[in-house]
Amino acid sequence: MKRERGNGLAASCIRLASALLLALFAGTAAAALPADVVKRLAFGDGDERAQAIGALVAGGDAAALPLLQALLDGEVQTAGEDRVLIVKGDAATDAVTGAAVSPLPEGRDDVVVNNRLRRTLGTAIAAFRLASPDRTVRLAAAKELQNSADEDALPAIVAAAAKEPDPEIRGLLALTQASIELASPDRAKRLAAVRALAGSDAGATKTLLAGIVEKKDGRFVETDDEIRAEAQRSLAAVEGRLAKGDVAARVFSGISLGTILLLAALGLAITYGLMGVINMAHGELIMIGAYATYVVQNLFRQHLPGAFDWYLLFAVPVAFAVSGATGVLLERTVI
């Protein structure tokens, strides 16, 4: 009995030490990936590669992210008939085990990625980035998935939504999940997806819902009356929200354009009225103000990244000052 307890304690210590070692070397050596999946990803045809990417996403192993990113960047090569390497300059690692490979094998071949596979890789990488501790990275990944996610990314999306603390990101993931489940053979899932899409404000959502209520050859695409009626209500809600946004954008654009025209008219009237000279340099002065704003933005990005959101408060007076100084200089030297 004591010997069994001692063996159990020893096994626990070994497991703990192994976990600590894995955590210590996580930054330098990736965990092992399924060899058959990696082989299909490198040597398979288009469909086999897409299936391999889906398998890696469904597995949820973060060790697959460097491999997928390297494949997208053109840094994956094969050596022989079954060896897959991630090659960065003169250094290489085994894609399956993450072990360093030195020296580089001879006769390596690049793994070519076509446009279809690039889109699939982009979706897969975005799915993995949903686990990032950085909210900005997760938000960007959720927005990318909203436009490009497919059924292979659904398990990662569902898992990320369940753990996501940010309500904005969680809402985007819920809408993405609903968009994917819209094609589910499960009637309850399709109905729930249609209802969830009513809260979307994306133009792509309008296209999805319109496809449910449309007719082809005199028959509705969706044969279920309840789902079709719910899709019609969701479509009306989305269209109303998009219409409000379109009106707001038009009003803002009109005010912006009117302001520019007003400034130009006032400048012409004041300059001609006071000096008797027609000054047509308003475009140049506006351009100078815009360039001054751009310079201030870059200065904040390089030297004060933590205060970048406040750059506009400093850029506006700088733009006015630079444009005004240029006007004074023109008045004194040219006019």
Side-chain angles (χ1 to χ4, degrees), residues 208-225:
L208 287 173
L209 293 172
I212 296 176
V213 299
E214 72 175 352
K215 286 184 176 181
K216 287 185 178 180
D217 299 328
R219 297 181 180 180
F220 286 107
V221 174
E222 176 57 59
T223 57
D224 191 297
D225 294 337

Side-chain angles (χ1 to χ4, degrees), residues 130 132-133 135 138 160-170 173:
L130 291 175
S132 171
R135 178 189 179 277
R138 297 199 312 276
K163 298 183 293 184
E164 179 56 55
D166 189 278
E168 181 183 1
I169 300 176
R170 193 166 58 248
L173 293 176

Side-chain angles (χ1 to χ4, degrees), residues 109-140:
D109 294 319
D110 293 327
V111 177
V112 180
V113 178
N114 57 27
N115 289 335
R116 175 194 171 193
L117 199 62
R118 285 185 181 277
R119 289 192 295 270
T120 306
L121 285 169
T123 302
I125 291 170
F128 275 110
R129 286 177 177 166
L130 291 175
S132 171
D134 189 339
R135 178 189 179 277
T136 304
V137 174
R138 297 199 312 276
L139 180 60

Side-chain angles (χ1 to χ4, degrees), residues 88-100:
K88 296 180 180 292
D90 296 330
T93 56
D94 190 287
V96 175
T97 64

Side-chain angles (χ1 to χ4, degrees), residues 234-279:
S234 297
L235 181 60
V238 172
E239 286 178 338
R241 199 174 297 109
L242 290 174
K244 291 179 181 178
D246 186 57
V247 169
R250 289 174 182 271
V251 170
F252 179 81
S253 178
I255 292 174
S256 177
L257 181 58
T259 302
I260 295 174
L261 294 175
L262 179 62
L263 285 174
L266 288 175
L268 283 171
I270 293 172
T271 304
Y272 185 71
L274 293 177
M275 305 181 67
V277 175
I278 297 178
N279 178 18

Side-chain angles (χ1 to χ4, degrees), residues 63-330:
L65 181 56
L67 172 59
L68 297 177
Q69 187 63 58
L71 188 60
L72 186 62
D73 295 338
E75 296 174 340
V76 176
Q77 297 179 349
T78 59
E81 297 182 355
D82 58 357
R83 198 172 189 187
V84 184
L85 306 175
I86 299 175
V87 181
K88 296 180 180 292
D90 296 330
T93 56
D94 190 287
V96 175
T97 64
V101 177
S102 181
L104 288 175
E106 298 292 336
R108 303 184 310 275
D109 294 319
D110 293 327
V111 177
V112 180
V113 178
N114 57 27
N115 289 335
R116 175 194 171 193
L117 199 62
R118 285 185 181 277
R119 289 192 295 270
T120 306
L121 285 169
T123 302
I125 291 170
F128 275 110
R129 286 177 177 166
L130 291 175
S132 171
D134 189 339
R135 178 189 179 277
T136 304
V137 174
R138 297 199 312 276
L139 180 60
K143 289 181 177 178
E144 182 175 348
L145 285 171
Q146 193 175 24
N147 299 321
S148 61
D150 54 19
E151 192 174 356
D152 291 334
L154 187 57
I157 293 172
V158 173
K163 298 183 293 184
E164 179 56 55
D166 189 278
E168 181 183 1
I169 300 176
R170 193 166 58 248
L172 288 174
L173 293 176
L175 291 175
T176 303
Q177 178 183 347
S179 299
I180 298 172
E181 291 181 341
L182 206 59
S184 172
D186 189 332
R187 179 183 180 277
K189 285 186 177 181
R190 292 207 320 277
L191 187 59
V194 168
R195 289 171 177 166
L197 289 174
S200 174
D201 56 358
T205 303
K206 177 181 175 181
T207 304
L208 287 173
L209 293 172
I212 296 176
V213 299
E214 72 175 352
K215 286 184 176 181
K216 287 185 178 180
D217 299 328
R219 297 181 180 180
F220 286 107
V221 174
E222 176 57 59
T223 57
D224 191 297
D225 294 337
E226 185 180 359
I227 294 178
R228 195 168 61 249
E230 197 66 41
Q232 190 64 57
R233 285 190 286 270
S234 297
L235 181 60
V238 172
E239 286 178 338
R241 199 174 297 109
L242 290 174
K244 291 179 181 178
D246 186 57
V247 169
R250 289 174 182 271
V251 170
F252 179 81
S253 178
I255 292 174
S256 177
L257 181 58
T259 302
I260 295 174
L261 294 175
L262 179 62
L263 285 174
L266 288 175
L268 283 171
I270 293 172
T271 304
Y272 185 71
L274 293 177
M275 305 181 67
V277 175
I278 297 178
N279 178 18
M280 302 298 291
H282 299 87
E284 288 83 348
L285 293 175
I286 292 173
M287 180 193 68
I288 290 171
Y291 187 74
T293 303
Y294 171 73
V295 171
V296 172
Q297 183 189 64
N298 282 342
L299 289 175
F300 267 76
R301 182 180 286 114
Q302 294 175 5
H303 303 291
L304 296 170
F308 182 77
D309 292 339
W310 301 95
Y311 85 90
L312 194 60
L313 294 178
F314 295 88
V316 170
V318 169
F320 272 94
V322 172
S323 298
T326 305
V328 171
L329 182 63
L330 286 173

